[in-house]
Amino acid sequence: MPRFAYPCPGCRTTNSLHDAACDHEGTAWTRVEKAYTDLLAVLVRDAITEDALRHAVHGEWSALHNAALDLLVREGRVQETDAGLRLLTAEEYREAVSEPRSEPMATLYRQGSYPGAHDNAVFAMIAWYEMVGLSWEETREHTVEWLEESGTWARGGFEEASPAALVDKKRHVYEAGYGWKEKARAAKRVIEAHRG
């Protein structure tokens, strides 16, 4: 099941040590968590308009609430519907994030990797799934499927005996919570050169 950690809506930290350029630097961590719990406590009930949500939260609506809501929508945890804002169920969210739709991850996911990009590509896939909150078991399953279905494994260039062995060897990426963007950009450049 996908996990949820209350990330800072500015720099994505999950503790009180914000990035220096973060709009929320100096904000007490309890305030960040409260903004999310205020929103989620209302959103778990039913779809609601943003205006009604602003009035339904516990306490006063703040810029932090606004930023947290924007992040929830951007990351696909909250969906805008005709009835208003709706919190996706864990299963709906897991399905929604199983296929990355934003660049550079979308190219990586759709095109698969090529020799010269494999290390960065596998690193990025694992880091992506960790970032969106999937468990290690879900991350492993999706990454193995991607290796096989995208044609990446068939292109060769791996020392490991199987896609599962490769993913298991990269578990440290998941456990350390490394970022995915730099590795995904590097892999996309190699992929585009091969597809060129």
Side-chain angles (χ1 to χ4, degrees):
M1 236 1 111
R3 296 169 292 118
F4 185 79
Y6 302 99
C8 169
C11 65
R12 299 201 48 78
T13 186
T14 53
N15 60 50
S16 59
L17 302 173
H18 297 270
D19 289 350
C22 179
D23 292 340
H24 306 290
E25 181 184 12
T27 302
W29 191 247
T30 54
R31 288 193 55 227
V32 172
E33 288 181 335
K34 183 181 180 320
Y36 280 107
T37 57
D38 286 350
L39 295 170
L40 296 172
V42 176
L43 289 166
V44 295
R45 294 184 218 143
D46 205 359
I48 187 170
T49 67
E50 187 172 339
D51 190 49
L53 176 62
R54 289 173 181 269
H55 290 91
V57 300
H58 181 71
E60 280 188 38
W61 185 268
S62 68
L64 193 54
H65 286 90
N66 211 38
L69 179 60
D70 286 347
L71 184 66
L72 290 170
V73 170
R74 229 180 17 256
E75 291 190 346
R77 288 192 178 266
V78 171
Q79 191 176 65
E80 296 182 57
T81 68
D82 292 341
L85 300 169
R86 185 178 79 80
L87 183 66
L88 270 61
T89 66
E91 182 59 28
E92 289 171 327
Y93 178 70
R94 188 181 68 74
E95 283 301 313
V97 298
S98 293
E99 182 178 330
R101 290 181 174 83
S102 60
E103 291 300 338
M105 290 301 297
T107 294
L108 195 66
Y109 184 82
R110 286 191 310 267
Q111 304 299 326
S113 181
Y114 288 83
H118 290 332
D119 190 53
N120 285 333
V122 173
F123 185 110
M125 291 303 291
I126 291 170
W128 164 266
Y129 287 129
E130 185 278 331
M131 186 270 301
V132 298
L134 296 188
S135 69
W136 167 247
E137 292 74 22
E138 292 167 321
T139 296
R140 183 180 188 275
E141 176 186 334
H142 286 300
T143 306
V144 168
E145 282 177 14
W146 169 76
L147 283 162
E148 293 169 341
E149 293 173 8
S150 68
T152 298
W153 187 258
R155 291 184 188 112
F158 300 99
E159 295 175 9
E160 295 76 17
S162 69
L166 171 63
V167 174
D168 288 341
K169 187 176 175 181
K170 299 286 186 188
R171 185 170 182 162
H172 68 280
V173 171
Y174 182 89
E175 291 171 349
Y178 292 118
W180 55 269
K181 283 184 185 175
E182 183 181 318
K183 298 289 187 179
R185 286 181 187 132
K188 182 180 176 181
R189 285 192 294 273
V190 174
I191 293 164
E192 287 178 336
H194 278 276
R195 308 277 308 164

